[in-house]
């Protein structure tokens, strides 16, 4: 069986070891005579899977007990609403940085619930960089300050986190969680849809500092209420059982790779392989300024949209798929999350050089 190198932005490639393990356990998990999909979420066998997944995530990200870890549904997009519903007080306000399409979506959604201010935006520049941030413009009384650590569509990443003082930093980490070391204690809330760098779709992980619980509005749906979900161990209702199990297998794989500290080095190396080709080339153009370049989503163009399309097609013929850029930016995007092996990135780098020679 031939597996392709899948450069999709999400859902994206998963570690082969995790897929194999799931396949082995598909018909009968640990002698239970049933798959994890068929198991009651209230069973001891499932609770063990759940607890181990949470423990592995806590170990990988060094999450202290002062933070609650939630396994929810509704995607990152659900959290766009859940964040103001849990944190924005009546008459309070929040600061947002508009660094990409998902950041913009979060801002627009939050505006439904109160006084939400955009402190900086790179929208006018089609998000080719993270906007400059001036702490003097931040509201020191804001309920929270919102950022998107990695902008999946445009391929940008915060080179450093903003200093927000006592204002809790809330971060959408959907496309770079577990890819590099973050000091979790810098954040009030960090959250991510699972389908980019955690596991399969259907699961959303929310990590919230416990002192921020208890602030949800009365109108907050209980499935989105972080306090209720903390009290219920994420099982107010049926959680996405199989997605949590798969995420756990992917996290175990990451632990076997040496954890986040080790994979960060690999991720830097992988990204450099592609950016070096782009910087040495007069044919390709990297979309993003070097300082803001993502290590997870590498965006670039050839001299023409026709050649972009030819590139995507020719790469697919060689087993490198899903390289088409997002419709908002066009061009080419190589998403190289944790599960993308170095060999896949090397193969793409070689292909890029060959395509340039043949097409310039
Ligand atoms: C994919 C993505 C989202 C949207 O995630 P869903 O789980 O589909 O709602 C939000 N933010 C970022 C940074 C993303 O990459």
């Amino acid at each position: 069986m031939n597996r392709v190198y899948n450069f999709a932005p999400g859902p994206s490639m998963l570690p082969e070891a995790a897929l194999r393990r799931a396949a082995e356990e598909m018909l009968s998990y640990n002698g239970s005579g049933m798959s994890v999909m068929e198991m009651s979420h209230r069973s001891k066998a499932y609770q063990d899977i759940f607890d181990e997944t949470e423990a592995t995530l806590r170990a990988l990200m060094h999450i202290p007990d002062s933070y609650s870890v939630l396994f929810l549904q509704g995607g990152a997009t659900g959290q766009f609403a859940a964040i103001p519903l849990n944190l924005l007080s009546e008459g309070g306000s929040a600061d947002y940085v508009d660094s990409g399409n998902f950041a913009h979506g979060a801002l627009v959604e939050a505006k439904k619930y109160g006084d939400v201010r955009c402190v900086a935006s790179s929208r006018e520049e089609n998000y080719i960089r993270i906007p400059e941030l001036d702490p003097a413009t931040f509201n020191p009384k804001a309920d929270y300050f919102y950022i998107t650590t990695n902008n999946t569509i445009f391929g940008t990443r915060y080179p450093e986190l903003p200093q927000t003082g006592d204002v809790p930093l809330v971060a959408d980490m959907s496309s770079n969680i577990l890819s590099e070391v973050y000091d979790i204690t810098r954040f009030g809330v960090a959250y991510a849809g699972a389908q980019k760098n955690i596991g399969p779709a259907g699961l959303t992980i929310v990590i919230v500092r416990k002192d921020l619980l208890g602030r949800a509005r009365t109108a907050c749906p209980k499935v989105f209420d972080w306090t209720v979900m903390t009290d219920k161990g994420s099982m107010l209702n049926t959680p996405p059982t199989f997605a949590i199990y798969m995420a756990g297998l992917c996290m175990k794989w990451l632990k076997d790779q040496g954890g986040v500290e080790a994979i960060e080095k690999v991720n830097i190396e992988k990204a450099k392989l592609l950016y070096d080709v782009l910087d040495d080339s007069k044919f390709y153009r990297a979309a993003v300024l070097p300082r803001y370049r993502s290590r997870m989503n590498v965006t670039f163009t050839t001299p023409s949209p026709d050649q972009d399309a030819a590139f995507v097609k020719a790469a697919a013929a060689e087993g490198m798929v899903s390289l088409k850029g997002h419709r908002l930016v066009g061009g080419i995007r190589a998403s190289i999350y944790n599960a993308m092996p170095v060999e896949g990135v090397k193969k793409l780098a070689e292909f890029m050089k060959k395509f340039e020679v043949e097409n310039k």
Side-chain angles (χ1 to χ4, degrees):
M1 174 205 22
N2 277 340
R3 298 240 327 140
V4 292
Y5 289 118
N6 178 6
F7 292 90
S12 45
M13 217 167 163
L14 297 175
E16 199 172 306
L19 294 171
R20 285 189 185 282
R21 175 84 183 267
E24 281 162 21
E25 295 176 341
M26 187 60 78
L27 295 183
S28 176
Y29 173 81
N30 198 19
S32 64
M34 63 176 90
S35 79
V36 174
M37 274 184 267
E38 300 164 293
M39 219 173 251
S40 165
H41 60 294
R42 308 282 180 203
S43 65
K44 158 112 179 43
Y46 188 74
Q47 189 66 51
D48 288 348
I49 292 171
F50 183 95
D51 291 345
E52 198 181 336
T53 303
E54 177 176 339
T56 310
L57 182 67
R58 282 188 182 271
L60 286 169
M61 293 182 71
H62 311 290
I63 304 170
D65 288 343
S66 50
Y67 284 74
S68 174
V69 174
L70 302 173
F71 294 85
L72 309 178
Q73 303 188 56
T77 307
Q79 293 304 311
F80 292 176
I83 288 158
L85 283 164
N86 279 276
L87 294 180
L88 189 58
S89 54
E90 301 285 349
S93 84
D95 282 351
Y96 275 65
V97 179
D98 180 10
S99 60
N101 211 51
F102 291 118
H104 191 78
L107 168 71
V108 170
E109 186 77 345
K111 280 187 172 165
K112 291 180 185 169
Y113 303 101
D115 176 24
V116 168
R117 203 169 59 106
C118 176
V119 279
S121 175
S122 48
R123 192 172 176 82
E124 300 283 287
E125 301 164 84
N126 203 26
Y127 298 120
I128 55 159
R129 61 193 188 93
I130 302 292
E132 285 306 325
L133 297 178
D134 175 6
T137 62
F138 302 174
N139 174 7
K141 294 207 162 61
D143 286 325
Y144 62 94
F145 188 101
Y146 184 99
I147 62 167
T148 310
T149 48
N150 185 79
N151 297 277
T152 325
I153 295 175
F154 306 90
T156 64
R157 164 186 173 273
Y158 278 72
E160 65 246 351
L161 297 174
Q163 295 292 343
T164 59
D166 290 337
V167 176
L169 188 59
V170 174
D172 178 355
M173 289 197 182
S174 293
S175 52
N176 76 335
I177 191 167
L178 296 174
S179 74
E180 62 177 292
V181 175
Y182 280 108
D183 173 3
I184 192 71
T185 65
R186 289 286 314 275
F187 302 92
V189 180
Y191 77 98
Q195 70 274 23
K196 275 108 188 197
N197 209 22
I198 297 174
L203 166 67
T204 315
I205 291 182
V206 180
I207 304 161
V208 51
R209 212 173 63 212
K210 285 178 180 164
D211 65 287
L212 297 173
L213 297 174
R215 304 182 183 194
R217 296 186 181 191
T218 321
C220 180
K222 60 183 177 179
V223 292
F224 280 154
D225 186 323
W226 302 332
T227 311
V228 172
M229 279 302 199
T230 297
D231 292 345
K232 298 284 182 189
S234 301
M235 294 204 205
L236 168 79
N237 63 331
T238 318
T241 51
F242 193 76
I244 293 169
Y245 156 76
M246 273 308 302
L249 293 181
C250 296
M251 289 173 199
K252 270 180 226 151
W253 168 84
L254 178 52
K255 208 170 128 194
D256 291 343
Q257 309 307 300
V260 178
E261 288 78 4
I263 208 95
E264 174 171 4
K265 295 200 182 81
V266 178
N267 286 331
I268 290 171
E269 182 201 337
K270 275 155 55 182
K272 186 172 185 301
L273 283 168
L274 299 184
Y275 287 121
D276 280 353
V277 175
L278 296 175
D279 290 339
D280 286 345
S281 161
K282 290 198 168 64
F283 180 77
Y284 299 109
R285 208 177 70 83
V288 175
L289 303 172
R291 178 170 154 71
Y292 304 105
R293 285 175 180 174
S294 170
R295 298 168 180 169
M296 296 283 101
N297 314 96
V298 178
T299 51
F300 57 98
T301 51
T302 67
S304 75
D306 284 349
Q307 280 173 304
D308 292 343
F311 178 102
V312 171
K313 198 170 162 212
E318 298 200 16
M320 292 171 283
V321 305
S322 308
L323 282 158
K324 191 171 187 285
H326 190 277
R327 64 194 149 72
L328 287 174
V329 267
I332 298 155
R333 169 175 52 172
S335 295
I336 49 173
Y337 301 114
N338 288 352
M340 171 60 68
V342 179
E343 299 75 58
V345 179
K346 282 191 178 146
K347 184 171 171 177
L348 178 61
E350 289 311 312
F351 174 83
M352 287 165 72
K353 289 187 225 164
K354 182 173 73 114
F355 189 87
E356 171 167 359
V357 170
E358 289 169 1
N359 290 276
K360 74 179 168 201

